[in-house]
Amino acid sequence: MAAQLIKGTEVAKAIREELKKEVERLKEKYGVVPGLVTILVGENPASQSYVRAKQQTAHELGFYSVQEDRPADISEADLLKLIDQYNKDPKIHGILVQLPLPKHINETQVLYAIDPSKDVDAFHPFNVGKLMIGEPDYLPCTPAGIQELLIRTGVETSGAEVVVIGRSNIVGKPIAVMLMQKGKGANATVTVCHTRTKDVVSHTKRADILIVAAGVAEYVKGDWIKPGAVVIDVGVNEVGRTADGKRILKGDVAFDEAKEVASAITPVPGGVGPMTITMLMKNTVRACKVHNNIKD
Ligand code: GUN
């Protein structure tokens, strides 16, 4: 294998150790504990698994954490009421509503209802707008995790040709904005490709850094990649189950081919995924400090 493996699991673990110490310090010095509520509507197995992982990490870090499960047929009004309850709860600093939501619920309305100062996903239009002008209070978790991986792996982003595949509000759009800003781990020239892009391969072949959030298993082939490029695979696609019922996951990049061409690549699982959750925890610690006016 030619490429260096970018081990998100290890980087995430190191950041979690730092966060755990910070949580202990906040407890001892100020008597405060970061509080996170995760709200899960319905029984989507992938969402259930993500929320479980978020709760488990919050617990490991010593957070006060609450899990709210609601049936898929909850009314929008009742969901908004639940969010409002946590907007007012001083023990809770971060509110996360797991997406996607059932079709009858207006996702934008729900995201608007979260107090922006408790919006640890950074999905509220206020936080999206602040990111756009380069003044973010909270960074969206997956893009923040990607940027942190690039920084900690020593990948030069300044002046780099970055190609992003995917234009979602959760990954594609915000990572493009973050990498084109001025600042550390940024200053890149960014191209965003999507389902209507003509000749995607002509773009991917130019990329020094290729970020793939297409949502299609093994979409990017080895010969789409410029030799020596850094490949960040954001995809999590369930392609089957093992005999004992465990999910078999594949990324959006054909890993075995890509690793022979790239200089560095994130695996799936164990690449971007653990970083996303870690950044959520980082945002929640920050929210706790903001809500308690703690500046050190
Ligand atoms: N669904 C997929 N990714 C995410 C995420 O980062 N946060 C939330 N709330 N829902 C998601």
Side-chain angles (χ1 to χ4, degrees):
M1 159 160 171
Q4 173 198 350
L5 207 55
I6 302 175
K7 294 176 181 147
T9 307
E10 283 179 17
V11 177
K13 197 168 162 225
I15 299 172
R16 283 177 204 175
E17 288 306 318
E18 293 165 21
L19 287 174
K20 204 167 168 180
K21 285 196 193 111
E22 179 64 357
V23 172
E24 281 163 16
R25 189 185 73 89
L26 291 173
K27 226 175 265 185
E28 274 169 29
K29 188 164 175 191
Y30 298 100
V32 299
V33 179
L36 174 69
V37 61
T38 52
I39 300 173
L40 175 62
V41 179
E43 290 177 0
N44 178 325
S47 291
Q48 283 173 329
S49 141
Y50 293 140
V51 166
R52 232 184 350 259
K54 289 168 189 179
Q55 277 295 325
Q56 191 188 337
T57 311
H59 185 74
E60 280 164 15
L61 294 184
F63 286 15
Y64 167 64
S65 65
V66 180
Q67 170 61 30
E68 291 282 9
D69 291 303
R70 290 294 180 275
D73 64 355
I74 187 178
S75 70
E76 188 176 304
D78 283 349
L79 182 57
L80 295 177
K81 232 183 273 170
L82 183 66
I83 291 167
D84 198 47
Q85 175 195 324
Y86 286 107
N87 281 340
K88 294 182 179 130
D89 185 341
K91 293 198 299 300
I92 291 294
H93 311 107
I95 301 172
L96 179 141
V97 179
Q98 188 65 30
L99 304 179
L101 290 167
K103 294 247 172 337
H104 70 280
I105 295 175
N106 182 333
E107 214 158 84
T108 311
Q109 276 316 107
V110 170
L111 297 179
Y112 265 113
I114 298 171
D115 178 339
S117 71
K118 295 190 176 187
D119 173 33
V120 286
D121 258 332
F123 290 167
H124 189 290
F126 177 81
N127 287 319
V128 175
K130 290 202 78 169
L131 176 66
M132 185 65 101
I133 62 167
E135 299 277 337
D137 296 323
Y138 301 110
L139 291 173
C141 303
T142 300
I146 293 169
Q147 191 175 41
E148 194 70 37
L149 275 182
L150 293 173
I151 292 170
R152 292 195 185 219
T153 312
V155 176
E156 180 60 85
T157 53
S158 183
E161 292 282 345
V162 172
V163 173
V164 178
I165 305 184
R167 54 177 157 178
S168 72
N169 290 333
I170 295 181
V171 183
K173 275 192 238 173
I175 191 64
V177 169
M178 284 165 61
L179 294 182
M180 75 166 82
Q181 311 272 27
K182 291 180 182 170
K184 192 176 161 200
N187 286 313
T189 304
V190 182
T191 304
V192 180
C193 299
H194 47 76
T195 43
R196 300 294 173 93
T197 298
K198 287 183 205 156
D199 197 1
V200 177
V201 181
S202 70
H203 295 285
T204 61
K205 280 190 157 171
R206 289 189 301 105
D208 300 314
I209 301 170
L210 179 60
I211 299 172
V212 191
V216 179
E218 303 187 309
Y219 175 65
V220 170
K221 313 298 178 208
D223 61 3
W224 294 23
I225 298 166
K226 177 166 121 176
V230 173
V231 178
I232 305 290
D233 188 348
V234 189
V236 183
N237 306 287
E238 186 179 322
V239 294
R241 297 262 174 171
T242 61
D244 55 349
K246 286 210 183 83
R247 305 197 300 148
I248 301 171
L249 301 178
K250 291 253 185 242
D252 288 353
V253 177
F255 182 83
D256 289 339
E257 295 174 20
K259 75 181 196 305
E260 303 301 331
V261 187
S263 65
I265 185 167
T266 59
V268 176
V272 175
M275 291 298 290
T276 296
I277 298 181
T278 301
M279 294 298 125
L280 173 70
M281 302 301 140
K282 188 174 172 185
N283 282 346
T284 307
V285 170
R286 184 179 164 87
C288 172
K289 290 169 80 168
V290 167
H291 278 264
N292 289 286
N293 206 15
I294 295 169
K295 301 230 158 63
D296 65 337

